[in-house]
Amino acid sequence: MHADVRTIYVFCPQKRDDEKETLDKLLKDKNPEKIESIVYQVLKQRHFEETVQLAAQYEREKELTISEKISAVTSTRQEAKETLLAEQRKDMMEVVSNVMSLSNADLSKKKLELKKQHKKQLTEFDKATQESIDKTTNKPNPEKELQYNSQVLALRERQIKELAQVISVYSPEQALVKSYEIEAERAAVEAERFRKDIIESRVKKFAVLKEERRQKEEARKKEREAKLRELEAEIEHEKTRDVQRQEQLSERYQVMQEQRIAQQEAIHKRALDGNAGISEQERQVRTNTYI
C-alpha cells in the first residue's frame, strides 16, 4: 500500500474513518480487478450527498435572492400605493367640498363615479405589482448559475481526484490509477475552461454594459443638447417678439403723435378761420382763450 487513506480526507472525518474501515474489510485479500468497483461503491454515497448538498445550497441561495428582490419590489410598490390612496382621498374630499354647489343626486353620482374610478386604479395597480413580482421571480440570475456550475465542476474534479487517490492506496495496478488521474486531469481542465468562460462572459457582459451606458449617456447628451437648442430658439423667438412689440409700440406712439399734432393743427386752423373778419381786439381775446 501507499499512504494511509485517512490522509486523503479533509472534511467529514467520521464518515471518512467509516469509509476507511469499510474499504479495509472489503478489500482485504480481494481480487485487484474488483478494487475499482468497491472503492466507487463505498465513496459513491458520500459523493452523491455532497452533490445534493451543493444543489440544495444553490436553491436556498436562489430562493433567498428572489425573496429579497420580492421584498424590495413589494416595499417600493406599497409606498407607491400609499401615495395613490392619498391622492384618491384628496379627490374625494374635493368632490365633497363642492356639496353646496351640487344637488344631493349630483353629489351621489359624482361620488359613485369617483369610487368606480378609484377601484379601477387600484385593480390596475395591484395587477402591475403582481406582474413586477412575477417578473422578479422568473428572472434568471446568470451570475448565480455560473457560480453554481463552476462549483459543480470543482466538486466533480475533487471527487475524481479522491477516487484516484483512494484506489492508489489499495490497488497495485498503476494503469487503473493512471486512468483515474487522467480523468481527474480532464475534469480539472474542464473546470478551468469553465472558469475562463465565466471570466470571458463577465468581461463581455461588462463590455456590453459599458457600451449600453455609453449609448445612454450619448442619448442623454443629445437630449440635453436638443433641449438647449430648443431653449435657445425659444429665447431667440422671445427676443424677436420683444423687438416686434417695441416696434409696434413705437409705431403706435408715432401714429398717436401724428394724430395729436394733426388735431392741434386742425384746432389752430379752425381758430384762424374763426378770427377772419373780426377786430384785432376780439382776435386777441380768442387767441388768448385757446391758449
Side-chain angles (χ1 to χ4, degrees):
M1 291 186 183
H2 299 87
D4 191 320
V5 72
R6 274 175 287 201
T7 63
I8 298 171
Y9 302 135
V10 180
F11 305 104
C12 301
Q14 184 58 51
K15 282 190 177 182
R16 284 159 172 76
D17 285 343
D18 293 342
E19 288 172 356
K20 200 272 178 184
E21 292 178 7
T22 301
L23 288 170
D24 286 343
K25 291 177 182 179
L26 294 176
L27 295 176
K28 186 177 181 180
D29 301 326
K30 284 289 181 180
N31 188 330
E33 295 180 357
K34 296 183 178 180
I35 290 176
E36 178 184 6
S37 176
I38 293 173
V39 170
Y40 178 78
Q41 291 297 324
V42 172
L43 271 61
K44 181 179 69 173
Q45 182 60 35
R46 177 169 55 81
H47 286 179
F48 176 74
E49 290 175 359
E50 290 171 344
T51 304
V52 170
Q53 288 172 3
L54 181 60
Q57 178 183 342
Y58 167 68
E59 290 298 328
R60 286 195 299 270
E61 290 177 354
K62 186 169 69 173
E63 289 177 3
L64 178 61
T65 301
I66 292 174
S67 177
E68 289 173 349
K69 289 182 178 180
I70 291 176
S71 178
V73 170
T74 303
S75 177
T76 301
R77 295 294 293 176
Q78 185 60 36
E79 291 178 3
K81 189 171 185 177
E82 291 296 332
T83 301
L84 176 61
L85 290 171
E87 292 175 353
Q88 290 183 347
R89 287 192 293 270
K90 182 180 177 182
D91 291 342
M92 186 61 72
M93 288 177 63
E94 289 178 355
V95 171
V96 174
S97 66
N98 293 325
V99 62
M100 300 301 294
S101 59
L102 296 171
S103 65
N104 290 336
D106 289 339
L107 179 60
S108 298
K109 182 180 178 181
K110 281 189 173 293
K111 287 172 67 176
L112 181 60
E113 290 175 350
L114 194 57
K115 285 181 179 179
K116 289 181 178 179
Q117 178 185 335
H118 288 172
K119 184 178 180 180
K120 182 180 178 182
Q121 287 177 340
L122 289 174
T123 300
E124 292 175 349
F125 185 91
D126 291 339
K127 181 181 178 181
T129 299
Q130 188 58 49
E131 288 175 352
S132 297
I133 292 174
D134 293 341
K135 185 177 179 181
T136 298
T137 304
N138 298 324
K139 185 177 181 180
N141 190 332
E143 289 292 324
K144 283 288 183 183
E145 291 177 3
L146 286 171
Q147 182 182 8
Y148 170 66
N149 290 331
S150 177
Q151 290 172 340
V152 169
L153 287 173
L155 177 61
R156 179 170 171 265
E157 175 191 352
R158 181 180 65 77
Q159 290 174 346
I160 293 174
K161 284 182 177 179
E162 188 177 51
L163 282 168
Q165 290 172 330
V166 173
I167 288 173
S168 69
V169 172
Y170 291 98
S171 175
E173 292 290 335
Q174 290 303 311
L176 178 60
V177 175
K178 187 63 177 177
S179 68
Y180 272 91
E181 290 176 350
I182 292 173
E183 183 64 23
E185 289 175 3
R186 288 176 182 168
V189 169
E190 186 178 350
E192 182 61 26
R193 185 185 300 114
F194 189 82
R195 281 189 286 269
K196 287 182 179 179
D197 289 343
I198 290 176
I199 293 174
E200 290 178 3
S201 175
R202 289 176 177 173
V203 169
K204 289 179 181 178
K205 183 178 179 180
F206 176 76
V208 170
L209 291 175
K210 186 176 180 181
E211 178 61 20
E212 287 178 352
R213 283 196 296 268
R214 188 194 67 77
Q215 291 178 359
K216 288 180 180 179
E217 181 58 33
E218 185 68 22
R220 284 194 292 266
K221 182 180 178 182
K222 289 181 179 179
E223 184 179 356
R224 289 195 299 268
E225 290 175 350
K227 287 183 177 179
L228 180 60
R229 288 194 297 270
E230 184 179 342
L231 180 60
E232 289 174 347
E234 186 177 343
I235 292 173
E236 190 63 30
H237 180 64
E238 191 62 30
K239 285 182 179 179
T240 303
R241 291 178 61 186
D242 286 340
V243 171
Q244 291 174 347
R245 282 195 294 266
Q246 290 295 330
E247 291 176 351
Q248 290 173 356
L249 288 173
S250 179
E251 291 175 358
R252 191 178 304 170
Y253 178 75
Q254 183 66 28
V255 170
M256 292 175 63
Q257 284 289 89
E258 291 174 354
Q259 289 176 347
R260 187 173 64 82
I261 292 173
Q263 289 175 354
Q264 289 178 346
E265 290 178 349
I267 293 171
H268 183 64
K269 185 175 183 301
R270 285 197 301 271
L272 291 177
D273 293 342
N275 289 337
I278 63 174
S279 65
E280 181 63 28
Q281 184 177 2
E282 289 176 349
R283 185 182 297 112
Q284 185 66 37
V285 170
R286 290 186 181 184
T287 301
N288 291 337
T289 301
Y290 286 120
I291 295 173

